[in-house]
Amino acid sequence: MDLRQIENIIAIETAQSISKAAEKLFLTQSALNQQLLKLERELGTQLFERRKHSMIPTYAGRIYLNTARQMLDMKQETYKIIHDIAEENAGEIAVAYTPERGSAMFSQIYPIFHEKYPNITFRIREARVKTMEQLVLQKEVTMACSTYAGDLKHPELEYLDMCEELIVLGMPKNHPLSYLAGEESWKIFPEFDLRLLRNEHFILSSRTTRIREMTDQIFEQAGFRPKVLFESTSTSTVINMVKKQICPAFFPQSYVEPDAPVVYFTVPPKESWMRCITILKGCYLTKPEKYFIKLATLASRGKL
């Protein structure tokens, strides 16, 4: 099933440029332009409005591109099902995960996966949760190792639960109030009145992260706005500042280290999110993809 012409036209729309699309497709600009002109002559209308620095789809172009994407989706889905039936155990899995915890999980499960499916390759995108959902919706990846909180789910996505995870408050061990944690706070996460830190400084996760949305709600419920030293997209950076005895911070339970110079709390009401695999509703999953999800679920529960 050769759909290269359709793929080439979609590439023009994605790059908004014939020259950039041609470079990505390893074609000459002239050859790609001739393909487009020939198609437009066949259809009797322009598919793109040629502007100075970009190619913008016309109304007819948007209709063509929408149908073209559906055809490519049908091809991909059909090939996946047939390969699965034939048990070829070859192909590609497109997956997204976070640069830190997701990367560590992938490194843990890949050797096990590769042993069973040595001919399966991976196309990986590292991104934050909000971006990952868009990657799944745009079909740039098949699945994302993601999270959701409460009932906040996109209606077009399916969320395969792996494990629930608390959002914890980490406090430097030398903090005057650290004694309130008692013994083995890393295991029991005692409750703490956040209002006691009203005059403290915090390090927060970036506003581009899901945990930041939850942290903002935690402070709102406590009735004050925190003093912020800085914000970071890296959870590891946030936690390292707590380890260095700089100030308290919020982060996911999976980053808790029993031997770190940190004590751990929860604050009322206890906030948590669900670690999950996110896919499009109705998406066909091959046997290798299902096996990957199984391994990811076991790893997230500490059973791998």
mmCIF file of all heavy atoms in Angstrom, residues 130-178:
data_model
loop_
_atom_site.group_PDB
_atom_site.id
_atom_site.type_symbol
_atom_site.label_atom_id
_atom_site.label_comp_id
_atom_site.label_asym_id
_atom_site.label_seq_id
_atom_site.Cartn_x
_atom_site.Cartn_y
_atom_site.Cartn_z
ATOM 1 N N LYS A 130 1.521 17.216 29.964
ATOM 2 C CA LYS A 130 0.587 17.948 29.097
ATOM 3 C C LYS A 130 0.958 17.769 27.631
ATOM 4 O O LYS A 130 0.091 17.577 26.769
ATOM 5 C CB LYS A 130 0.593 19.441 29.469
ATOM 6 C CG LYS A 130 0.046 19.748 30.845
ATOM 7 C CD LYS A 130 0.101 21.251 31.114
ATOM 8 C CE LYS A 130 -0.407 21.598 32.486
ATOM 9 N NZ LYS A 130 -0.317 23.049 32.758
ATOM 10 N N THR A 131 2.240 17.830 27.332
ATOM 11 C CA THR A 131 2.700 17.663 25.955
ATOM 12 C C THR A 131 2.486 16.235 25.484
ATOM 13 O O THR A 131 2.112 15.995 24.327
ATOM 14 C CB THR A 131 4.188 18.029 25.839
ATOM 15 O OG1 THR A 131 4.378 19.365 26.295
ATOM 16 C CG2 THR A 131 4.679 17.911 24.408
ATOM 17 N N MET A 132 2.706 15.265 26.376
ATOM 18 C CA MET A 132 2.550 13.865 25.991
ATOM 19 C C MET A 132 1.126 13.561 25.540
ATOM 20 O O MET A 132 0.908 12.815 24.589
ATOM 21 C CB MET A 132 2.946 12.947 27.151
ATOM 22 C CG MET A 132 4.442 12.832 27.350
ATOM 23 S SD MET A 132 4.904 11.436 28.396
ATOM 24 C CE MET A 132 4.428 12.051 30.001
ATOM 25 N N GLU A 133 0.144 14.126 26.218
ATOM 26 C CA GLU A 133 -1.242 13.882 25.818
ATOM 27 C C GLU A 133 -1.481 14.394 24.399
ATOM 28 O O GLU A 133 -2.175 13.751 23.609
ATOM 29 C CB GLU A 133 -2.206 14.547 26.799
ATOM 30 C CG GLU A 133 -2.280 13.845 28.147
ATOM 31 C CD GLU A 133 -3.447 14.306 28.991
ATOM 32 O OE1 GLU A 133 -4.054 15.357 28.659
ATOM 33 O OE2 GLU A 133 -3.776 13.625 29.990
ATOM 34 N N GLN A 134 -0.911 15.534 24.071
ATOM 35 C CA GLN A 134 -1.055 16.067 22.713
ATOM 36 C C GLN A 134 -0.363 15.167 21.690
ATOM 37 O O GLN A 134 -0.864 14.989 20.576
ATOM 38 C CB GLN A 134 -0.483 17.488 22.647
ATOM 39 C CG GLN A 134 -1.303 18.516 23.415
ATOM 40 C CD GLN A 134 -2.749 18.564 22.960
ATOM 41 O OE1 GLN A 134 -3.024 18.660 21.762
ATOM 42 N NE2 GLN A 134 -3.667 18.490 23.896
ATOM 43 N N LEU A 135 0.772 14.600 22.059
ATOM 44 C CA LEU A 135 1.481 13.693 21.147
ATOM 45 C C LEU A 135 0.639 12.459 20.841
ATOM 46 O O LEU A 135 0.616 11.978 19.709
ATOM 47 C CB LEU A 135 2.815 13.271 21.759
ATOM 48 C CG LEU A 135 3.881 14.355 21.896
ATOM 49 C CD1 LEU A 135 5.092 13.824 22.665
ATOM 50 C CD2 LEU A 135 4.314 14.866 20.527
ATOM 51 N N VAL A 136 -0.078 11.953 21.846
ATOM 52 C CA VAL A 136 -0.960 10.805 21.631
ATOM 53 C C VAL A 136 -2.145 11.221 20.762
ATOM 54 O O VAL A 136 -2.514 10.512 19.814
ATOM 55 C CB VAL A 136 -1.449 10.220 22.975
ATOM 56 C CG1 VAL A 136 -2.451 9.083 22.729
ATOM 57 C CG2 VAL A 136 -0.279 9.706 23.796
ATOM 58 N N LEU A 137 -2.751 12.357 21.067
ATOM 59 C CA LEU A 137 -3.899 12.837 20.299
ATOM 60 C C LEU A 137 -3.545 13.089 18.839
ATOM 61 O O LEU A 137 -4.348 12.826 17.933
ATOM 62 C CB LEU A 137 -4.456 14.122 20.930
ATOM 63 C CG LEU A 137 -5.200 13.952 22.259
ATOM 64 C CD1 LEU A 137 -5.404 15.296 22.939
ATOM 65 C CD2 LEU A 137 -6.547 13.271 22.041
ATOM 66 N N GLN A 138 -2.334 13.578 18.603
ATOM 67 C CA GLN A 138 -1.880 13.856 17.234
ATOM 68 C C GLN A 138 -1.285 12.622 16.558
ATOM 69 O O GLN A 138 -0.811 12.690 15.431
ATOM 70 C CB GLN A 138 -0.840 14.988 17.270
ATOM 71 C CG GLN A 138 -1.406 16.319 17.720
ATOM 72 C CD GLN A 138 -0.339 17.324 18.121
ATOM 73 O OE1 GLN A 138 0.863 17.086 17.918
ATOM 74 N NE2 GLN A 138 -0.739 18.436 18.687
ATOM 75 N N LYS A 139 -1.296 11.495 17.274
ATOM 76 C CA LYS A 139 -0.829 10.203 16.766
ATOM 77 C C LYS A 139 0.657 10.212 16.401
ATOM 78 O O LYS A 139 1.105 9.472 15.541
ATOM 79 C CB LYS A 139 -1.676 9.757 15.567
ATOM 80 C CG LYS A 139 -3.146 9.602 15.919
ATOM 81 C CD LYS A 139 -3.988 9.176 14.740
ATOM 82 C CE LYS A 139 -5.456 9.060 15.134
ATOM 83 N NZ LYS A 139 -6.323 8.713 14.004
ATOM 84 N N GLU A 140 1.397 11.087 17.089
ATOM 85 C CA GLU A 140 2.848 11.076 16.925
ATOM 86 C C GLU A 140 3.475 9.954 17.737
ATOM 87 O O GLU A 140 4.595 9.522 17.440
ATOM 88 C CB GLU A 140 3.432 12.436 17.322
ATOM 89 C CG GLU A 140 3.010 13.568 16.388
ATOM 90 C CD GLU A 140 3.714 14.859 16.702
ATOM 91 O OE1 GLU A 140 4.901 14.805 17.099
ATOM 92 O OE2 GLU A 140 3.098 15.937 16.547
ATOM 93 N N VAL A 141 2.778 9.515 18.782
ATOM 94 C CA VAL A 141 3.184 8.326 19.536
ATOM 95 C C VAL A 141 1.939 7.482 19.774
ATOM 96 O O VAL A 141 0.815 7.991 19.746
ATOM 97 C CB VAL A 141 3.843 8.677 20.894
ATOM 98 C CG1 VAL A 141 5.110 9.484 20.690
ATOM 99 C CG2 VAL A 141 2.870 9.412 21.794
ATOM 100 N N THR A 142 2.145 6.191 20.012
ATOM 101 C CA THR A 142 1.022 5.292 20.288
ATOM 102 C C THR A 142 0.600 5.374 21.740
ATOM 103 O O THR A 142 -0.586 5.296 22.060
ATOM 104 C CB THR A 142 1.406 3.834 19.959
ATOM 105 O OG1 THR A 142 1.822 3.762 18.598
ATOM 106 C CG2 THR A 142 0.224 2.900 20.172
ATOM 107 N N MET A 143 1.585 5.533 22.628
ATOM 108 C CA MET A 143 1.277 5.541 24.056
ATOM 109 C C MET A 143 2.214 6.480 24.792
ATOM 110 O O MET A 143 3.291 6.823 24.294
ATOM 111 C CB MET A 143 1.389 4.125 24.626
ATOM 112 C CG MET A 143 2.794 3.558 24.607
ATOM 113 S SD MET A 143 2.880 1.851 25.200
ATOM 114 C CE MET A 143 2.215 0.975 23.782
ATOM 115 N N ALA A 144 1.780 6.887 25.993
ATOM 116 C CA ALA A 144 2.591 7.764 26.830
ATOM 117 C C ALA A 144 2.561 7.249 28.256
ATOM 118 O O ALA A 144 1.499 6.873 28.770
ATOM 119 C CB ALA A 144 2.075 9.197 26.770
ATOM 120 N N CYS A 145 3.710 7.213 28.908
ATOM 121 C CA CYS A 145 3.801 6.883 30.325
ATOM 122 C C CYS A 145 3.518 8.170 31.090
ATOM 123 O O CYS A 145 4.387 9.029 31.221
ATOM 124 C CB CYS A 145 5.187 6.339 30.661
ATOM 125 S SG CYS A 145 5.625 4.880 29.686
ATOM 126 N N SER A 146 2.300 8.297 31.565
ATOM 127 C CA SER A 146 1.777 9.589 31.983
ATOM 128 C C SER A 146 1.176 9.532 33.383
ATOM 129 O O SER A 146 1.370 8.565 34.127
ATOM 130 C CB SER A 146 0.729 10.041 30.949
ATOM 131 O OG SER A 146 0.223 11.305 31.235
ATOM 132 N N THR A 147 0.445 10.593 33.754
ATOM 133 C CA THR A 147 -0.280 10.658 35.025
ATOM 134 C C THR A 147 -1.572 11.433 34.814
ATOM 135 O O THR A 147 -1.706 12.199 33.866
ATOM 136 C CB THR A 147 0.536 11.371 36.122
ATOM 137 O OG1 THR A 147 0.787 12.727 35.713
ATOM 138 C CG2 THR A 147 1.836 10.668 36.415
ATOM 139 N N TYR A 148 -2.514 11.206 35.727
ATOM 140 C CA TYR A 148 -3.699 12.063 35.787
ATOM 141 C C TYR A 148 -4.114 12.189 37.240
ATOM 142 O O TYR A 148 -3.785 11.335 38.081
ATOM 143 C CB TYR A 148 -4.837 11.520 34.924
ATOM 144 C CG TYR A 148 -5.485 10.252 35.439
ATOM 145 C CD1 TYR A 148 -6.535 10.300 36.361
ATOM 146 C CD2 TYR A 148 -5.046 8.997 35.023
ATOM 147 C CE1 TYR A 148 -7.124 9.137 36.845
ATOM 148 C CE2 TYR A 148 -5.630 7.833 35.507
ATOM 149 C CZ TYR A 148 -6.674 7.907 36.416
ATOM 150 O OH TYR A 148 -7.249 6.762 36.891
ATOM 151 N N ALA A 149 -4.837 13.244 37.551
ATOM 152 C CA ALA A 149 -5.296 13.481 38.913
ATOM 153 C C ALA A 149 -6.818 13.573 38.927
ATOM 154 O O ALA A 149 -7.416 14.240 38.077
ATOM 155 C CB ALA A 149 -4.688 14.765 39.471
ATOM 156 N N GLY A 150 -7.446 12.887 39.869
ATOM 157 C CA GLY A 150 -8.897 12.943 39.983
ATOM 158 C C GLY A 150 -9.587 12.435 38.731
ATOM 159 O O GLY A 150 -9.230 11.405 38.165
ATOM 160 N N ASP A 151 -10.576 13.217 38.288
ATOM 161 C CA ASP A 151 -11.327 12.857 37.082
ATOM 162 C C ASP A 151 -10.896 13.686 35.874
ATOM 163 O O ASP A 151 -11.617 13.756 34.873
ATOM 164 C CB ASP A 151 -12.833 13.047 37.319
ATOM 165 C CG ASP A 151 -13.364 12.104 38.389
ATOM 166 O OD1 ASP A 151 -12.865 10.969 38.442
ATOM 167 O OD2 ASP A 151 -14.250 12.502 39.166
ATOM 168 N N LEU A 152 -9.734 14.314 35.958
ATOM 169 C CA LEU A 152 -9.262 15.179 34.875
ATOM 170 C C LEU A 152 -8.676 14.326 33.758
ATOM 171 O O LEU A 152 -7.469 14.068 33.706
ATOM 172 C CB LEU A 152 -8.229 16.180 35.399
ATOM 173 C CG LEU A 152 -8.740 17.158 36.465
ATOM 174 C CD1 LEU A 152 -7.610 18.051 36.952
ATOM 175 C CD2 LEU A 152 -9.887 18.010 35.906
ATOM 176 N N LYS A 153 -9.553 13.866 32.872
ATOM 177 C CA LYS A 153 -9.144 13.013 31.766
ATOM 178 C C LYS A 153 -9.654 13.592 30.452
ATOM 179 O O LYS A 153 -10.761 14.133 30.392
ATOM 180 C CB LYS A 153 -9.707 11.601 31.933
ATOM 181 C CG LYS A 153 -9.246 10.876 33.182
ATOM 182 C CD LYS A 153 -9.858 9.485 33.242
ATOM 183 C CE LYS A 153 -9.425 8.702 34.463
ATOM 184 N NZ LYS A 153 -10.032 7.350 34.498
ATOM 185 N N HIS A 154 -8.852 13.476 29.402
ATOM 186 C CA HIS A 154 -9.282 13.918 28.084
ATOM 187 C C HIS A 154 -10.289 12.903 27.538
ATOM 188 O O HIS A 154 -10.045 11.693 27.587
ATOM 189 C CB HIS A 154 -8.082 14.036 27.145
ATOM 190 C CG HIS A 154 -8.377 14.795 25.897
ATOM 191 N ND1 HIS A 154 -9.107 14.251 24.853
ATOM 192 C CD2 HIS A 154 -8.059 16.062 25.515
ATOM 193 C CE1 HIS A 154 -9.214 15.137 23.888
ATOM 194 N NE2 HIS A 154 -8.585 16.244 24.267
ATOM 195 N N PRO A 155 -11.413 13.360 26.998
ATOM 196 C CA PRO A 155 -12.462 12.432 26.551
ATOM 197 C C PRO A 155 -12.058 11.510 25.411
ATOM 198 O O PRO A 155 -12.678 10.471 25.216
ATOM 199 C CB PRO A 155 -13.605 13.365 26.122
ATOM 200 C CG PRO A 155 -12.960 14.695 25.866
ATOM 201 C CD PRO A 155 -11.819 14.770 26.825
ATOM 202 N N GLU A 156 -11.020 11.866 24.656
ATOM 203 C CA GLU A 156 -10.600 11.033 23.527
ATOM 204 C C GLU A 156 -9.498 10.039 23.895
ATOM 205 O O GLU A 156 -9.065 9.259 23.052
ATOM 206 C CB GLU A 156 -10.116 11.926 22.368
ATOM 207 C CG GLU A 156 -11.202 12.818 21.785
ATOM 208 C CD GLU A 156 -10.679 13.699 20.673
ATOM 209 O OE1 GLU A 156 -9.735 13.270 19.986
ATOM 210 O OE2 GLU A 156 -11.196 14.821 20.505
ATOM 211 N N LEU A 157 -9.071 10.076 25.166
ATOM 212 C CA LEU A 157 -7.969 9.226 25.590
ATOM 213 C C LEU A 157 -8.430 8.163 26.580
ATOM 214 O O LEU A 157 -9.398 8.358 27.317
ATOM 215 C CB LEU A 157 -6.860 10.065 26.228
ATOM 216 C CG LEU A 157 -6.178 11.097 25.329
ATOM 217 C CD1 LEU A 157 -5.168 11.907 26.131
ATOM 218 C CD2 LEU A 157 -5.503 10.425 24.138
ATOM 219 N N GLU A 158 -7.726 7.045 26.583
ATOM 220 C CA GLU A 158 -7.957 5.977 27.551
ATOM 221 C C GLU A 158 -6.755 5.925 28.477
ATOM 222 O O GLU A 158 -5.607 6.035 28.029
ATOM 223 C CB GLU A 158 -8.140 4.641 26.839
ATOM 224 C CG GLU A 158 -8.479 3.482 27.763
ATOM 225 C CD GLU A 158 -8.741 2.197 27.024
ATOM 226 O OE1 GLU A 158 -8.802 2.219 25.770
ATOM 227 O OE2 GLU A 158 -8.877 1.147 27.694
ATOM 228 N N TYR A 159 -7.019 5.770 29.768
ATOM 229 C CA TYR A 159 -5.964 5.786 30.771
ATOM 230 C C TYR A 159 -5.888 4.412 31.443
ATOM 231 O O TYR A 159 -6.837 3.995 32.106
ATOM 232 C CB TYR A 159 -6.231 6.875 31.811
ATOM 233 C CG TYR A 159 -6.275 8.266 31.228
ATOM 234 C CD1 TYR A 159 -7.413 8.739 30.572
ATOM 235 C CD2 TYR A 159 -5.168 9.112 31.306
ATOM 236 C CE1 TYR A 159 -7.451 10.018 30.021
ATOM 237 C CE2 TYR A 159 -5.198 10.383 30.763
ATOM 238 C CZ TYR A 159 -6.348 10.839 30.117
ATOM 239 O OH TYR A 159 -6.384 12.100 29.575
ATOM 240 N N LEU A 160 -4.783 3.714 31.240
ATOM 241 C CA LEU A 160 -4.583 2.385 31.807
ATOM 242 C C LEU A 160 -3.806 2.540 33.114
ATOM 243 O O LEU A 160 -2.602 2.807 33.119
ATOM 244 C CB LEU A 160 -3.818 1.501 30.815
ATOM 245 C CG LEU A 160 -4.388 1.457 29.384
ATOM 246 C CD1 LEU A 160 -3.487 0.618 28.477
ATOM 247 C CD2 LEU A 160 -5.809 0.910 29.374
ATOM 248 N N ASP A 161 -4.510 2.406 34.228
ATOM 249 C CA ASP A 161 -3.924 2.669 35.546
ATOM 250 C C ASP A 161 -2.773 1.717 35.853
ATOM 251 O O ASP A 161 -2.862 0.510 35.593
ATOM 252 C CB ASP A 161 -4.985 2.543 36.631
ATOM 253 C CG ASP A 161 -6.041 3.643 36.545
ATOM 254 O OD1 ASP A 161 -5.847 4.583 35.752
ATOM 255 O OD2 ASP A 161 -7.054 3.550 37.272
ATOM 256 N N MET A 162 -1.709 2.270 36.442
ATOM 257 C CA MET A 162 -0.582 1.456 36.894
ATOM 258 C C MET A 162 -0.469 1.473 38.420
ATOM 259 O O MET A 162 -0.513 0.444 39.054
ATOM 260 C CB MET A 162 0.721 1.935 36.249
ATOM 261 C CG MET A 162 0.740 1.767 34.730
ATOM 262 S SD MET A 162 2.381 1.908 33.999
ATOM 263 C CE MET A 162 2.789 3.632 34.340
ATOM 264 N N CYS A 163 -0.335 2.662 39.017
ATOM 265 C CA CYS A 163 -0.301 2.738 40.480
ATOM 266 C C CYS A 163 -0.567 4.180 40.916
ATOM 267 O O CYS A 163 -0.270 5.129 40.189
ATOM 268 C CB CYS A 163 1.041 2.258 41.035
ATOM 269 S SG CYS A 163 2.422 3.366 40.679
ATOM 270 N N GLU A 164 -1.155 4.302 42.109
ATOM 271 C CA GLU A 164 -1.407 5.630 42.674
ATOM 272 C C GLU A 164 -0.164 6.107 43.415
ATOM 273 O O GLU A 164 0.554 5.317 44.028
ATOM 274 C CB GLU A 164 -2.608 5.588 43.618
ATOM 275 C CG GLU A 164 -3.074 6.964 44.064
ATOM 276 C CD GLU A 164 -4.364 6.917 44.873
ATOM 277 O OE1 GLU A 164 -4.742 5.810 45.321
ATOM 278 O OE2 GLU A 164 -4.971 7.980 45.072
ATOM 279 N N GLU A 165 0.065 7.423 43.361
ATOM 280 C CA GLU A 165 1.287 7.979 43.951
ATOM 281 C C GLU A 165 0.954 9.264 44.707
ATOM 282 O O GLU A 165 0.299 10.157 44.159
ATOM 283 C CB GLU A 165 2.296 8.258 42.840
ATOM 284 C CG GLU A 165 3.616 8.789 43.306
ATOM 285 C CD GLU A 165 4.607 8.909 42.163
ATOM 286 O OE1 GLU A 165 4.208 9.258 41.033
ATOM 287 O OE2 GLU A 165 5.788 8.645 42.404
ATOM 288 N N LEU A 166 1.398 9.343 45.962
ATOM 289 C CA LEU A 166 1.177 10.547 46.754
ATOM 290 C C LEU A 166 2.047 11.705 46.268
ATOM 291 O O LEU A 166 3.146 11.492 45.742
ATOM 292 C CB LEU A 166 1.511 10.279 48.226
ATOM 293 C CG LEU A 166 0.536 9.442 49.044
ATOM 294 C CD1 LEU A 166 1.164 9.121 50.395
ATOM 295 C CD2 LEU A 166 -0.786 10.184 49.233
ATOM 296 N N ILE A 167 1.566 12.907 46.464
ATOM 297 C CA ILE A 167 2.390 14.111 46.332
ATOM 298 C C ILE A 167 2.845 14.470 47.738
ATOM 299 O O ILE A 167 2.017 14.704 48.624
ATOM 300 C CB ILE A 167 1.594 15.275 45.701
ATOM 301 C CG1 ILE A 167 0.994 14.843 44.361
ATOM 302 C CG2 ILE A 167 2.501 16.499 45.543
ATOM 303 C CD1 ILE A 167 1.991 14.348 43.336
ATOM 304 N N VAL A 168 4.150 14.465 47.972
ATOM 305 C CA VAL A 168 4.670 14.631 49.327
ATOM 306 C C VAL A 168 5.411 15.953 49.476
ATOM 307 O O VAL A 168 5.904 16.530 48.494
ATOM 308 C CB VAL A 168 5.601 13.466 49.714
ATOM 309 C CG1 VAL A 168 4.857 12.132 49.619
ATOM 310 C CG2 VAL A 168 6.848 13.442 48.853
ATOM 311 N N LEU A 169 5.476 16.411 50.701
ATOM 312 C CA LEU A 169 6.268 17.586 51.064
ATOM 313 C C LEU A 169 7.596 17.097 51.637
ATOM 314 O O LEU A 169 7.618 16.386 52.644
ATOM 315 C CB LEU A 169 5.524 18.432 52.099
ATOM 316 C CG LEU A 169 6.319 19.602 52.704
ATOM 317 C CD1 LEU A 169 6.608 20.680 51.649
ATOM 318 C CD2 LEU A 169 5.572 20.204 53.899
ATOM 319 N N GLY A 170 8.686 17.451 50.966
ATOM 320 C CA GLY A 170 10.013 17.125 51.474
ATOM 321 C C GLY A 170 10.584 18.315 52.235
ATOM 322 O O GLY A 170 10.530 19.455 51.756
ATOM 323 N N MET A 171 11.119 18.064 53.416
ATOM 324 C CA MET A 171 11.667 19.142 54.254
ATOM 325 C C MET A 171 13.109 18.802 54.623
ATOM 326 O O MET A 171 13.410 17.652 54.976
ATOM 327 C CB MET A 171 10.821 19.299 55.523
ATOM 328 C CG MET A 171 11.302 20.401 56.469
ATOM 329 S SD MET A 171 10.304 20.463 57.994
ATOM 330 C CE MET A 171 8.728 21.028 57.333
ATOM 331 N N PRO A 172 14.034 19.759 54.533
ATOM 332 C CA PRO A 172 15.420 19.488 54.943
ATOM 333 C C PRO A 172 15.484 18.970 56.377
ATOM 334 O O PRO A 172 14.739 19.431 57.246
ATOM 335 C CB PRO A 172 16.092 20.859 54.824
ATOM 336 C CG PRO A 172 15.271 21.599 53.814
ATOM 337 C CD PRO A 172 13.867 21.122 54.025
ATOM 338 N N LYS A 173 16.351 18.005 56.619
ATOM 339 C CA LYS A 173 16.432 17.380 57.939
ATOM 340 C C LYS A 173 16.872 18.366 59.015
ATOM 341 O O LYS A 173 16.585 18.181 60.209
ATOM 342 C CB LYS A 173 17.389 16.194 57.894
ATOM 343 C CG LYS A 173 17.106 15.151 58.948
ATOM 344 C CD LYS A 173 17.744 13.822 58.605
ATOM 345 C CE LYS A 173 17.272 12.741 59.570
ATOM 346 N NZ LYS A 173 17.815 11.403 59.224
ATOM 347 N N ASN A 174 17.589 19.431 58.621
ATOM 348 C CA ASN A 174 18.038 20.415 59.611
ATOM 349 C C ASN A 174 17.009 21.513 59.870
ATOM 350 O O ASN A 174 17.278 22.459 60.601
ATOM 351 C CB ASN A 174 19.376 21.030 59.199
ATOM 352 C CG ASN A 174 19.258 21.941 57.970
ATOM 353 O OD1 ASN A 174 18.170 22.167 57.429
ATOM 354 N ND2 ASN A 174 20.391 22.469 57.527
ATOM 355 N N HIS A 175 15.828 21.413 59.272
ATOM 356 C CA HIS A 175 14.782 22.419 59.472
ATOM 357 C C HIS A 175 14.258 22.336 60.904
ATOM 358 O O HIS A 175 14.109 21.233 61.462
ATOM 359 C CB HIS A 175 13.640 22.188 58.476
ATOM 360 C CG HIS A 175 12.674 23.330 58.403
ATOM 361 N ND1 HIS A 175 11.682 23.535 59.353
ATOM 362 C CD2 HIS A 175 12.539 24.336 57.498
ATOM 363 C CE1 HIS A 175 10.991 24.605 59.024
ATOM 364 N NE2 HIS A 175 11.485 25.120 57.909
ATOM 365 N N PRO A 176 13.974 23.461 61.554
ATOM 366 C CA PRO A 176 13.504 23.462 62.945
ATOM 367 C C PRO A 176 12.249 22.621 63.191
ATOM 368 O O PRO A 176 12.020 22.163 64.314
ATOM 369 C CB PRO A 176 13.232 24.941 63.225
ATOM 370 C CG PRO A 176 14.101 25.681 62.269
ATOM 371 C CD PRO A 176 14.168 24.824 61.040
ATOM 372 N N LEU A 177 11.429 22.427 62.139
ATOM 373 C CA LEU A 177 10.186 21.678 62.313
ATOM 374 C C LEU A 177 10.296 20.220 61.848
ATOM 375 O O LEU A 177 9.307 19.490 61.848
ATOM 376 C CB LEU A 177 9.044 22.363 61.554
ATOM 377 C CG LEU A 177 8.661 23.763 62.021
ATOM 378 C CD1 LEU A 177 7.547 24.333 61.156
ATOM 379 C CD2 LEU A 177 8.220 23.748 63.490
ATOM 380 N N SER A 178 11.484 19.800 61.474
ATOM 381 C CA SER A 178 11.633 18.446 60.942
ATOM 382 C C SER A 178 11.322 17.373 61.987
ATOM 383 O O SER A 178 10.949 16.248 61.635
ATOM 384 C CB SER A 178 13.049 18.238 60.381
ATOM 385 O OG SER A 178 14.010 18.292 61.425
#
